[in-house]
Amino acid sequence: MNSIRSSGFFILGLGLLAGCASMEPRTHQTMALSIEDANNLIKLPISCATQEYPNKLNQVLKNADDLRSPRDLHPAFFGCFDWHSSVHGFWSMTKLLKAEPSVGSADKARQLLRTTITSQNITAEVEYFEDNPTWERPYGWAWLLKLQLELDTWDDPLAKELAPLLRPLANRIADLYLEYLPKLVYPIRVGEHTNTAFGLAFAWDYAKAKDHQSLLSAISDRARSYYLNDRNCPIEWEPSGYDFLSPCLEEVDLMRRVLDPQEFRVWIKNFMPQLTDNDYQLEVGIVSDRSDGKLVHLDGLNFSRAWVLYGLAHQYPEYGHLIKIANTHVRYSLPNLVGDGYEGGHWLASFAIHALDNTDGGPRQ
C-alpha cells in the first residue's frame, strides 16, 4: 500500500478508508493517510466545489439588490453549501495535491483551483467583505488564511500562479482581524463556527508564517486576556449536541501556540489538570443520524479533538498518552466519510485531512 510521504502525513499505511480501520495502533502510534484514503477524500470537495444548491448564504439583506444567487454573490466560493465549506474544500484539494501530486483526480482539482482563484473572482469576494465586514467571522476568515498559507508554502507552478491572486482577500481578512480583536471584550466559548480560540489559532499560524507582527501581537494580547486566568475547564459538560469543536480543547490548541513552554505547562495544569493522567479517557462524540446536518457535526468534533490532542502530545511529550484518544476519535468517524450524505460530505473531508496532517504535531509555538 502506498502512503502520502510529505506535508506531515505519517507513513503507517493503516488503510483507514479501505477496511482496516479496526486495527489497534500502539498507544503512542499516530494514524496515517494512505494514498487510497487521499484518493477517496479528495473526491468530496471536488464533488461539491461547483454545486451551487442547496446553499446557506447567512447574509443580512440590506435591500432588494442583495437577493442574488450564490454564484453571483461569491463567484469564487459559491459551492459546498456555504462559503466557509467551499473555502476549506479548496484547502483540502491544495493540501492533498501538495502532499501527493499524483493523488486521484489531480487534474480535476488543479482545474478547479485555476478556474476559481482568478483576479476577477477574488476582487468580487474582497468587495463583498468591504460591504459586509462582519460576515463569516471568524470561522470563514480562519479557513481563508489557511488556504492562503497552503498556497504560499506549496512549491508548485500552480501555487505560484494562484497565491498572489488570492492574497488581496487574505490581506483584507488579516485587516479585519486587527479591526475586530480590540473590540471583542469577551471570547466566544461555543462548539461551533463563532468559537474565538479556533479562529485565533489558524490566524496565528498564518501570522507566524508570514511574520505579520501586528497580527501576532493582537492575537497574543487577546489570547492572554481571554484565557490566561482560566481554570478547570468543564470538559465533562462536552459535547453539546451540535458541537464540531471542543471549547476546552480549542483553547488548549491556541495557548500552546501563544505561550512559551514554561508558561504553558503551568497554565494547562491549572486549566485541564486531568490531561496529565495516563489513564485519562475522553469518549468520542456519537453521531446518531448522519443525514441530519447538525447531528453530523459530532464527526467534526471527533476530528477537531484529534488534531488538538496530536498537536499537544507532540509539542509536549509528557502528554503522549493522549495520542491513543486521538486515534480512537479518528477511527470512529473517518470510515463514515466516503459514501456519506451531502450533510457531512461537503465539509468533513477537510476536518479529517487536518486531523491526519497533525499526527506529527502540527504548528509549534
Side-chain angles (χ1 to χ4, degrees):
M1 179 184 294
N2 295 323
S3 295
I4 287 181
R5 299 176 180 272
S6 61
S7 292
F9 294 103
F10 268 36
I11 307 168
L12 300 180
L14 296 181
L16 297 172
L17 296 179
C20 301
S22 62
M23 292 182 66
E24 177 67 29
R26 294 188 302 274
T27 300
H28 290 180
Q29 179 173 309
T30 47
M31 294 285 188
L33 186 69
S34 72
I35 189 65
E36 288 88 351
D37 301 337
N39 289 343
N40 283 314
L41 287 174
I42 200 169
K43 294 175 184 176
L44 298 176
I46 286 176
S47 68
C48 71
T50 57
Q51 182 174 334
E52 189 171 5
Y53 298 102
N55 202 295
K56 186 178 181 181
L57 285 171
N58 282 324
Q59 68 179 107
V60 174
L61 300 177
K62 297 187 289 293
N63 53 57
D65 293 338
D66 289 340
L67 287 169
R68 291 184 282 157
S69 71
R71 188 188 294 260
D72 189 26
L73 289 165
H74 303 289
F77 305 116
F78 60 85
C80 296
F81 188 68
D82 47 34
W83 192 87
H84 53 256
S85 297
S86 179
V87 170
H88 62 65
F90 280 97
W91 171 81
S92 296
M93 293 183 226
T94 303
K95 168 61 72 175
L96 293 174
L97 287 168
K98 181 178 176 181
E100 180 50 70
S102 64
V103 68
S105 305
D107 290 344
K108 178 63 174 176
R110 285 176 170 272
Q111 178 187 9
L112 283 168
L113 281 161
R114 180 173 283 112
T115 57
T116 296
I117 302 176
T118 67
S119 178
Q120 182 178 359
N121 287 351
I122 299 306
T123 295
E125 299 283 1
V126 172
E127 290 174 351
Y128 189 88
F129 275 99
E130 295 292 344
D131 292 335
N132 302 273
T134 66
W135 190 68
E136 285 283 352
R137 182 179 72 189
Y139 185 76
W141 296 5
W143 278 107
L144 191 285
L145 293 184
K146 192 166 185 65
L147 173 57
Q148 180 69 60
L149 182 57
E150 211 63 57
L151 289 171
D152 285 341
T153 55
W154 183 18
D155 185 16
D156 185 274
L158 179 61
K160 295 182 187 304
E161 172 190 340
L162 300 185
L165 299 178
L166 185 63
R167 194 162 296 124
L169 183 54
N171 290 342
R172 180 64 186 129
I173 295 298
D175 288 343
L176 287 172
Y177 268 105
L178 292 173
E179 295 168 14
Y180 172 57
L181 289 177
K183 297 184 288 189
L184 185 67
V185 178
Y186 310 105
I188 300 166
R189 305 172 186 271
V190 298
E192 293 188 271
H193 305 85
T194 54
N195 183 280
T196 302
F198 171 86
L200 295 186
F202 275 20
W204 176 273
D205 295 343
Y206 172 83
K208 191 80 171 175
K210 305 302 290 182
D211 195 27
H212 195 316
Q213 289 299 317
S214 57
L215 186 53
L216 286 171
S217 178
I219 294 170
S220 178
D221 287 348
R222 300 320 274 156
R224 289 172 177 275
S225 172
Y226 297 148
Y227 307 122
L228 193 60
N229 294 320
D230 284 359
R231 300 288 185 271
N232 298 312
C233 194
I235 197 167
E236 65 273 10
W237 293 3
E238 299 180 20
S240 295
Y242 297 161
D243 282 357
F244 59 85
L245 301 170
S246 162
C248 289
L249 291 179
E250 287 303 321
E251 194 169 325
V252 170
D253 210 32
L254 174 63
M255 297 304 271
R256 78 175 180 91
R257 289 162 162 82
V258 171
L259 300 181
D260 65 45
Q262 183 177 357
E263 281 185 296
F264 180 77
R265 285 187 167 99
V266 172
W267 177 84
I268 194 171
K269 285 181 180 179
N270 289 319
F271 181 67
M272 291 190 70
Q274 65 270 49
L275 293 183
T276 62
D277 183 354
N278 285 333
D279 295 321
Y280 177 70
Q281 299 294 319
L282 183 62
E283 296 300 319
V284 300
I286 302 298
V287 179
S288 62
D289 181 359
R290 287 193 167 82
S291 68
D292 187 306
K294 281 289 193 177
L295 297 178
V296 80
H297 275 187
L298 290 158
D299 274 328
L301 174 74
N302 291 329
F303 293 130
S304 65
R305 280 179 172 178
W307 77 55
V308 174
L309 295 175
Y310 285 139
L312 175 61
H314 285 280
Q315 188 170 353
Y316 293 93
E318 61 265 39
Y319 292 96
H321 55 280
L322 299 177
I323 290 176
K324 184 176 181 179
I325 297 174
N327 288 344
T328 299
H329 277 64
V330 170
R331 189 185 302 109
Y332 174 83
S333 288
L334 188 58
N336 300 305
L337 297 193
V338 174
D340 196 9
Y342 190 67
E343 292 76 10
H346 78 271
W347 65 280
L348 278 169
S350 301
F351 271 54
I353 293 163
H354 187 51
L356 292 168
D357 189 42
N358 275 266
T359 56
D360 68 345
R364 304 301 202 265
Q365 184 269 339

